[in-house]
Amino acid sequence: MTVTIARPLPPPPSRLRNALRGVGYFFRRAPLSAFWGVIAALIIAMAVAAPVVAPYPPLKSDFRAMQKPPSEKHWFGTDQIGRDTLSRVIHGSQTSLTVAFGAVLFGTTLGALWGLACGYFGGRFDMVSQRIIEFLQSFPDLILAMAIAMALGGGIATVIVAIAITRIPFGGRVIRSVVLSLKEMQYVEAARGIGASHARMMFRHILPQCVAPFMILATTHLGVAIVIEASLGFLGVGIPPPTPTWGNMLSDALNAGLVPPWWLVLFPGLAITLTVLAFNLLGDGIRDMLDPRLRGSV
Amino acid sequence: MYSYIARRLAFGLLTVIGVSIMVFVIMRILPGDPLIAIFGPDGFTKLTEEQRANYMRELGLSEPLWVQYLAWVKQIAEGNFGRSFFRSESVADMLVRRAPLTAEIALLSVVISWVVGIPVAIISALKPNTIADSAARFISILFLAVPGFWIGMLIVLGLLFWFGYRAPLTGAGLFDDPWANFELVIGPAVVLGLGQAAYIARMGRSSLLEVIREDYVRTARAKGLNGRLVIAWHALPNALLPVITLSGVLMGLVLAGSVPVERAFATPGLGFAMFIAVSERDIFVMQNLVFIYAAVFVLINIAIDVAIAFLDPRIRLR
């Protein structure tokens, strides 16, 4: 009699493997978005490694090369006091991305959690919350950010807070409507039936379903946050000079004289456009993959 | 219909009151000390205790907060909006002088956004996934990413560089000097209009694609109506409803965008006044301007809602 020995099961796929497979799927499904995702990753890498990548220190002025057009030595030219524009643009990405990620991390997340609570509890809490969100949404976002940044005084933390507050209502609205429809699902009903606590139902059963819409919202908000940060810098309520940001570089260019040198205007703006484009297209791809129903709607 | 308008207005009033409280909270309570906003953190530390108390009293800031708030509301109700901390001009005078220019820019930009955005949307939706569609979509995605004020700077720079042209620096009324007025307004309006057009083309495309699949459009085709007529007469009016709503939402983009864009063009409008108020740390002017911008935004959205209710019986009857 032969004994059949059960073949050992293949080991469960590791998390890393799963993640890699997801990325591979993304590349095949949406090659264009994946390409822009790579660009976004490169920009992030550039920001992290700014001191290594930048050819000069961003604050070092070279008085022999003041306001020089692009050349072999200074690819993007130099500003009025001889600082290298390329280095400043590279270092500017650091501030821009810190602010953008910070604002999304606080604002969109806080809004999403608030929306989760609103949708889940409903009732009077929801009603009052919706009114407050409506008030917040009555402000054009840049104007609200300007007012808050001005009231708190300049600096990277205040800019993050100012932009984060403008992101709260969007997170609140979107996630609330997702939760409202989830709440009626049978598995939530079942969880309630077996006596799960509110916290457990919210975080264990409903929250995971909100991850996809949140990711979509967050990537879109990254782009918006970068533009608001640049506008604040341009209007002089952002991060104050000499710290280079793309916004305050553009503002400096306008202050340079009646005719601003073209390279001081062109390159920081290109950096903003490229970064926002990369995040937006990456966001589009993520949206199409995670939730085809939302195609073209956000 | 009337009850709908009345309800909408009542909610609007509530929102405006909420907005005023929020503005007040931001400008007066958040920093802990309005003097920091006026003098900056550095200047503030240089003031002596006595100076601080003096300034606070002079500015009416030592009253209890609710008294200050009511005083402000009274000012708004009287329509004079207080006075700048640094200039003699009152905010009301500033509005009379500067607001028309910004209003013109906003209106013209909406017109431009429709004139550019809707045809692009129609072409995209009628021939989806063709080269024209892809090009239109790419360009609109690009315009969603480009900051308007930067385009403005490039336009100003380009005109100066190649043609030695610069728009007049002083304000000119629409009726006093129409041409100078047009020169002032057209640049910001084009920049803001194209920014909106990108959103409108995107939304218009998906909305039209949806409507084209509806039964009544097929019926119109089936009864032998010519294709263009079906689109123009049957599909478009319904497809445009969400675009009108979007246009109202985008007014927020225009109102906010006008601040940096007016700075880029050096247009002497209300947005530029806000830039000045911010750089001079003039919290009183800023407080009033922020309130006015938000109130205008609320009013525009009420107007849009009413317009939609008028155009779409399904909403009116609800």
Side-chain angles (χ1 to χ4, degrees), chain B residues 161-227:
Chain B
F161 197 71
W162 283 302
F163 302 105
Y165 167 82
R166 181 156 207 139
L169 288 169
T170 46
L174 179 57
F175 301 107
D176 313 334
D177 189 351
W179 179 246
N181 180 271
F182 179 75
E183 279 180 282
L184 273 178
V185 165
I186 188 69
V190 165
V191 167
L192 292 169
L194 290 181
Q196 293 174 80
Y199 286 95
I200 286 187
R202 221 177 164 183
M203 170 73 114
R205 174 180 184 274
S206 63
S207 155
L208 198 55
L209 273 177
E210 222 163 80
V211 170
I212 285 175
R213 288 191 214 113
E214 298 257 347
D215 285 342
Y216 74 91
V217 173
R218 192 182 316 143
T219 310
R221 280 231 176 82
K223 76 180 182 192
L225 218 56
N226 133 336

Side-chain angles (χ1 to χ4, degrees), chain B residues 260-280:
Chain B
V261 168
E262 281 184 13
R263 191 201 166 194
F265 281 97
T267 314
L270 207 55
F272 201 83
M274 197 180 255
F275 162 63
I276 294 173
V278 158
S279 35
E280 288 181 344

Side-chain angles (χ1 to χ4, degrees), chain A residues 131-132 134-140 142-144 146-148 150-151 230-231 234-235 237 250-251 254-255 258-260 262 265-266 269-270 272-273 276-277 281 284 287 296, chain B residues 11 14-15 18-19 22-23 26 31 141-142 145-147 149-150 153-154 157 160 166 202 206 252 255-256 259-260 263 274-275 277-278 281-283 286 290 293-294 297-298:
Chain A
R131 285 286 89 76
I132 296 176
E134 207 166 278
F135 297 159
L136 273 176
Q137 258 183 336
S138 308
F139 294 94
L142 174 62
I143 291 187
L144 182 60
M146 273 170 77
I148 298 171
M150 182 184 165
S231 310
F234 181 64
L235 294 171
V237 265
L250 287 173
S251 178
L254 264 197
N255 294 335
L258 214 54
V259 188
W262 62 267
V265 175
L266 184 67
L270 269 184
I272 300 171
T273 307
V276 176
L277 197 61
L281 284 167
D284 279 5
R287 184 189 60 216
Chain B
F11 262 110
L14 187 72
T15 313
V19 160
M22 219 167 241
V23 173
I26 292 169
I141 287 172
L142 189 68
V146 186
F149 67 89
W150 178 57
M153 289 174 84
L154 289 181
L157 202 59
L160 205 58
R166 181 156 207 139
R202 221 177 164 183
S206 63
L255 288 174
V259 182
R263 191 201 166 194
M274 197 180 255
F275 162 63
V278 158
R281 300 172 171 281
D282 196 336
I283 57 166
M286 187 63 181
V290 170
Y293 267 68
F297 189 35
V298 170

